[in-house]
Amino acid sequence: MNGTQTSGYSKLQITLHWVIAALVAFQLIFGEGMTNVRDAAEEGTTASSVDTAVSIGHYWFGIAILVLVLVRLGVRLMQGVPQRLAGTPTWMDWAARLVHWAFYLMLFAMPLLGLLTVYVSDAFGDIHKLGKPVFIVLIAVHVVAALYHQFIKRDGTLRRILVPGR
Ligand code: HEM
């Protein structure tokens, strides 16, 4: 599934990484607006205009994430990913792979669960909400790893996702 190994990420891969990251940040920070709108509808009250606006963003940004992650996987299959850095311990390599595939899984599962909540049953909402702490833990591990590479190993890993390598 990794496709060919290359010297760096392409401009398209880097753009997709940061656009998806920004959209996910919005979903995690403002997701409760969607919950508030649904709670208000259930109670027969009116949600605030901010929550209403945020919930529309939540719906469409969530669908955009689903589409973009599919594009990202397609690009990964066609363009490949950079080679693992020489000298990285095997366990770290596996940990990185595990976290990256967990991200892909979550990026699929969360929009699908959101859609199931809206169109099938409220029961999916509880599982969808559980995705928030899971995402936060994954992001924390991912960021700590990036900082470790940047400031302790100084091996240019962070640069790979900022500057196109081909
Ligand atoms: C990666 C994409 C997504 C992320 C990270 C995400 C994240 C969140 C978060 C953090 C909450 C608030 C949880 C809370 O109140 O504690 C939430 C609520 C909600 N989201 Fe999403 N969401 C995503 C995509 C979607 C999509 C595509 C839809 C629907 C089209 C959707 C529908 C909902 C609904 C209906 C709720 C309220 C659940 C309830 O009240 O039971 N979400 N989401």
Side-chain angles (χ1 to χ4, degrees), residues 89-111:
T90 316
W91 74 266
M92 256 189 210
D93 238 18
W94 280 104
R97 276 176 214 211
L98 189 72
V99 171
H100 294 164
W101 286 107
F103 266 118
Y104 281 118
L105 182 73
M106 291 299 291
L107 290 168
F108 266 119
M110 284 298 272

Side-chain angles (χ1 to χ4, degrees), residues 56-139:
I56 296 168
H58 192 85
Y59 184 99
W60 289 109
F61 287 175
I63 290 172
I65 290 169
L66 184 59
V67 173
L68 292 176
V69 79
L70 284 172
V71 174
R72 183 141 181 221
L73 275 173
V75 173
R76 185 186 171 114
L77 277 176
M78 286 188 296
Q79 299 187 340
V81 285
Q83 285 149 3
R84 300 284 146 196
L85 289 162
T88 308
T90 316
W91 74 266
M92 256 189 210
D93 238 18
W94 280 104
R97 276 176 214 211
L98 189 72
V99 171
H100 294 164
W101 286 107
F103 266 118
Y104 281 118
L105 182 73
M106 291 299 291
L107 290 168
F108 266 119
M110 284 298 272
L112 291 180
L113 285 165
L115 287 165
L116 287 170
T117 311
V118 173
Y119 295 110
V120 179
S121 159
D122 280 348
F124 289 104
D126 291 335
I127 315 175
H128 184 72
K129 285 186 199 170
L130 281 178
K132 180 175 177 176
V134 175
F135 243 128
I136 290 172
V137 169
L138 282 177
I139 292 168

Side-chain angles (χ1 to χ4, degrees), residues 12 15 20 25 38 40-41 44 49 51 73 82 101-102 110 112 115-116 124 149 154:
L12 176 59
T15 306
I20 293 172
R38 290 178 61 86
S49 51
D51 283 342
L73 275 173
W101 286 107
M110 284 298 272
L112 291 180
L115 287 165
L116 287 170
F124 289 104
H149 280 284
R154 297 171 193 264

Side-chain angles (χ1 to χ4, degrees), residues 23-77:
L23 292 173
V24 168
F26 178 91
Q27 301 295 76
L28 295 178
I29 295 167
F30 301 109
E32 275 171 43
M34 180 62 125
T35 306
N36 294 343
V37 167
R38 290 178 61 86
D39 287 348
E42 215 171 278
E43 290 157 10
T45 55
T46 312
S48 75
S49 51
V50 173
D51 283 342
T52 305
V54 161
S55 72
I56 296 168
H58 192 85
Y59 184 99
W60 289 109
F61 287 175
I63 290 172
I65 290 169
L66 184 59
V67 173
L68 292 176
V69 79
L70 284 172
V71 174
R72 183 141 181 221
L73 275 173
V75 173
R76 185 186 171 114
L77 277 176

